DNA sequence: GACGGCTACTAAATCGATTTAGTGAATTCA
DNA sequence: TGAATTCACTAAATCGATTTAGTAGCCGTC
């Protein structure tokens, strides 16, 4: 069907080997022969068959990314789409493609990596959402699959890492709140099994400790909106409830803000709120959300570049540190309230995540 | 390196051909020989080399998806991640993978399709974001690449389509608003070059016409938050400004709601708002957003299934219609205001998208 | 007992590109 | 001038799995 190297060879009156040499710019063919071969190849519309090239060279010309998320959560994360776009920028330049796998069930993740490695579908993978004591490191080493990790794992890892110090952003957020007079600053974190969940919590903790403030206002959630609501409810039900909450992502911050407002609190009058990610909608909340902006696109570009270097053996193996995220101050943060605000009664989690929040029953106060 | 079919053959004391027959369950090998071969294959840990299989069978065992979006917009769209998750569910069952390409520049899109087709990287593609008079239909036919389109193109297309009638959702939204007494119902649409932009507008138009209401309160935007703000500003500056606006997606609705509130309007007291997508954050806005929920996961599952059928020649070629989206009523819609509300002065677009809306300042971190 | 038909298997071709070994001719050097 | 070297190219092997053509052995049958 398609035109092969044999077609070009017979059309140009030479052997297949000569065509290959000519097309790849190798020595071994005369100048006018080379010219003739190139012209006939172009005239016939020849393009290399990647499947054949792949078999011969034992390379897949593709890299893999396995995303382990429940389907419902995937759509709400602003990170991956931008990250993937960055990866693509680099891959396209090198005529590589991205094989994307979504693992929605627990067991599916390891299966995905095996599938990519065993069949030789990819030449390497990007490991994201690195976890504490991450078993995938050993898995990938066992599979002999080159990899690059996003941030450095807390277990010995033979793979280079592209790092983004999210602690810098959280520290800036806490210091911003302290400068506004807040002393009871809470944190709603993501699952602490994730390194980025941990590092954000630690940064919050360190910044408070450095300022001589307490660090007990922590509630673990799961990066989802319902989780953010539940964690916020727990913090706000305390006697010593916070006057400001630092969230580990924008989605939880949005949910927390909504929860607080639904319970009669003013943001930032009664409660200041910061997010993380700088999702596009964050600026258009009511009030607009103070948050932390990283650069997932650059992260993707560099991770892909490092992985390609790793695959081709040109990478030196050192880690790469990205520029730090920056704080974007909007209107969800303000001066600490002068007056004491009564604690909010805690709701049951079930109520929060289903009936109570689900439809019409949240009636927000209308002033902004 | 890896164990091949030859290794299995010599270990089992048979020819390569016999191993192949045994492993694929074909006739031509005796029962105990077959058993022995299967056992040695298992013992040696043999897995088929996809690259070889691919070359021999002239199949890629992968399908492609080209997303044409600017990198910045990608992260804010709740559709694709869920859609992709659905695609994966089907592909994994058939041991196929998804090759994802992001085309951020205009010319990159066609190049992407050619790259996927020419090298034989994929066996087919899913065509999303179908446009009016979409040139990709002819391109794909020319490339001989099987495809499935999301919704039926408005040009003759040889490819089957998986359709979701978003008109149903918009109609429900408009009727909901009419039942609340609204008569001046506007629409902020996406780019009208997209079929889903058009069909949503047409549905809005039809529903109003059916109720004997006017259809001139239309403003075209681009599915982005800044675009939604600008379009909202234009509608609200009119003398006959709407008391309700139907947005073509949640992001624009969020931005529009924020704009209205920032200009002293009450939602839904002065202005009712509906979105589209049911993004996770929509429920946590202030007020929670009335919106339209589709099922991108199912869409992805079925599109992938149809494409695989198409590739293997088992699909009959008929279109598939998904269940209709449904209206999710929350608190951003309410009774039409009794009193007249003065028109809002229009702002310049530049102001809207920068300083005016959020008084935003960016604090960069000075140390490390 | 010769022949057809069947089973169980092997040898070799195949997919398309790359690469290695080899060959004939021209050129260079002693 | 003869040997050595270089050049331009071809033939064939290679990657790993599948498939086609072919073969040896066995059974049954007329």
């Amino acid at each position: 069907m398609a035109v092969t190297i044999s077609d070009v060879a017979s059309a140009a009156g030479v052997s297949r080997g000569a065509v290959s040499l000519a097309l790849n710019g190798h020595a071994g063919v005369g100048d006018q022969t080379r010219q003739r071969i190139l012209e006939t190849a172009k005239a016939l519309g020849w393009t290399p068959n990647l499947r054949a090239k792949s078999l011969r060279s034992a390379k897949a010309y593709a890299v893999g990314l396995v995303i382990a998320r429940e389907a419902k959560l995937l759509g709400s994360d602003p990170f991956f789409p931008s990250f993937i776009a960055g990866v693509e920028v680099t891959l396209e330049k090198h005529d590589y493609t991205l094989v994307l796998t979504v693992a929605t069930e627990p067991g599916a993740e390891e299966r995905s990596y095996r599938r990519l490695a065993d069949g030789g579908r990819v030449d390497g993978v990007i490991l994201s959402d690195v976890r504490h004591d991450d078993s995938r490191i050993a898995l990938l080493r066992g599979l002999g699959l080159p990899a690059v990790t996003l941030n450095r794992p807390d277990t010995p890892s033979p793979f280079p890492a592209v790092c983004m110090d999210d602690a810098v952003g959280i520290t800036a957020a806490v210091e911003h709140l302290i400068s506004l007079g807040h002393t009871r600053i809470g944190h709603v974190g993501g699952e602490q099994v994730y390194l980025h969940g941990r590092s954000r919590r630690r940064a919050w903790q360190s910044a408070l400790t450095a300022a001589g403030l307490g660090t007990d206002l922590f509630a673990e959630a799961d990066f989802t909106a319902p989780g953010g609501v539940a964690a916020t409810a727990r913090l706000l039900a305390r006697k010593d409830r916070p006057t400001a909450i630092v969230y580990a992502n924008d989605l939880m911050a949005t949910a927390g803000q909504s929860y607080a407002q639904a319970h009669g609190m003013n943001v930032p009058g009664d409660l200041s709120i910061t997010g993380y990610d700088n999702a596009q909608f964050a600026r258009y909340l009511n009030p607009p959300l103070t948050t932390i902006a990283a650069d997932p696109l650059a992260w993707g570009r560099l991770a892909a570049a490092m992985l390609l270097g790793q695959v081709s053996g040109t990478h030196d193996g050192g880690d790469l540190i990205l520029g730090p995220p920056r704080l974007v101050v909007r209107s969800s943060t303000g001066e600490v309230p002068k007056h004491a605000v009564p604690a909010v009664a805690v709701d049951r989690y079930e109520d929060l995540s289903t009936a109570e929040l689900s439809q019409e029953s949240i009636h927000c106060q209308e002033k902004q």
Side-chain angles (χ1 to χ4, degrees), chain A:
Chain A
M1 201 63 235
V3 36
T4 73
I5 212 169
S6 293
D7 301 330
V8 178
S10 56
V14 292
S15 70
R16 303 203 314 266
V19 176
S20 178
L21 293 176
L23 290 167
N24 291 292
H26 293 157
V29 269
D31 279 346
Q32 74 269 47
T33 313
R34 176 184 306 264
Q35 204 54 41
R36 183 159 42 89
I37 292 174
L38 292 179
E39 275 160 15
T40 35
K42 191 165 187 182
L44 294 175
W46 176 85
T47 51
N49 181 315
L50 201 81
R51 299 197 266 252
K53 221 171 135 166
S54 220
L55 173 59
R56 174 70 233 216
S57 64
K59 290 201 288 186
Y61 300 100
V63 302
L65 177 64
V66 177
I67 303 182
R69 294 279 169 97
E70 284 178 47
K72 281 170 71 177
L73 305 187
L74 258 178
S76 54
D77 188 342
F79 174 78
F80 274 114
S82 300
F83 178 79
I84 288 171
V87 168
E88 274 290 319
V89 169
T90 299
L91 292 186
E92 205 211 335
K93 276 186 210 143
H94 296 82
D95 205 25
Y96 263 66
T97 51
L98 175 69
V99 172
L100 183 70
T101 298
V102 178
T104 50
E105 307 155 25
E109 192 179 19
E110 182 171 335
R111 205 164 64 234
S112 283
Y113 284 110
R114 287 188 183 282
R115 205 155 66 95
L116 293 181
D118 287 345
R121 289 180 196 257
V122 299
D123 296 324
V125 294
I126 296 174
L127 201 67
S128 67
D129 289 338
V130 179
R131 302 188 275 264
H132 170 61
D133 213 356
D134 203 317
S135 62
R136 295 174 298 172
I137 304 283
L139 172 66
L140 291 175
R141 198 173 38 201
L143 292 170
L145 199 58
V148 160
T149 62
L150 302 194
N151 285 333
R152 178 133 290 278
D154 58 3
T155 45
S157 157
F159 307 117
V162 188
C163 306
M164 160 90 71
D165 187 7
D166 49 4
V168 173
I170 295 288
T171 304
V174 173
E175 287 174 351
H176 164 64
L177 291 168
I178 292 174
S179 77
L180 290 168
H182 293 272
T183 54
R184 293 201 308 281
I185 300 172
H187 179 48
V188 170
E191 291 105 322
Q192 294 298 298
V193 71
Y194 290 115
L195 293 196
H196 59 286
R198 299 189 158 217
S199 65
R200 289 171 199 187
R201 178 190 185 176
R202 259 202 291 267
W204 161 81
Q205 214 160 11
S206 303
L208 289 181
T209 304
L213 299 173
T215 62
D216 57 325
L217 291 165
F218 171 74
E220 180 171 346
D222 59 357
F223 289 119
T224 71
V229 165
T232 305
R234 271 181 276 143
L235 286 182
L236 293 184
R238 297 175 61 145
K239 292 235 162 51
D240 60 338
R241 70 178 185 71
T243 60
I245 302 180
V246 172
Y247 289 83
N249 72 352
D250 283 351
L251 195 61
M252 294 195 295
T254 303
Q257 174 163 308
S258 166
Y259 174 84
Q261 291 171 325
H263 287 77
M265 299 180 71
N266 182 283
V267 177
D270 300 320
L271 181 70
S272 284
I273 282 179
T274 70
Y276 196 110
D277 282 338
N278 195 22
Q280 189 174 168
F281 66 82
R283 169 192 248 173
Y284 300 94
L285 296 179
N286 179 24
L289 186 66
T290 293
T291 187
I292 293 154
D295 190 352
L297 195 85
W299 210 351
R301 267 204 334 263
L302 290 171
M306 187 180 254
L307 183 55
L308 291 184
Q310 170 90 334
V311 165
S312 64
T314 57
H315 186 258
D316 60 358
D319 286 4
L320 198 66
I321 314 273
L322 292 174
R326 57 182 219 286
L327 181 68
V328 179
V329 177
R330 300 203 183 97
S331 322
S332 66
T333 45
E335 297 274 323
V336 64
K338 300 290 189 296
H339 55 289
V341 183
V344 172
V346 75
D347 294 291
R348 285 179 42 237
Y349 181 84
E350 290 79 5
D351 293 342
L352 296 175
S353 59
T354 57
E356 207 254 342
L357 272 176
S358 67
Q359 292 210 347
E360 305 72 11
S361 55
I362 284 193
H363 284 288
C364 297
Q365 77 282 25
E366 33 263 56
K367 60 171 188 179
Q368 70 171 74

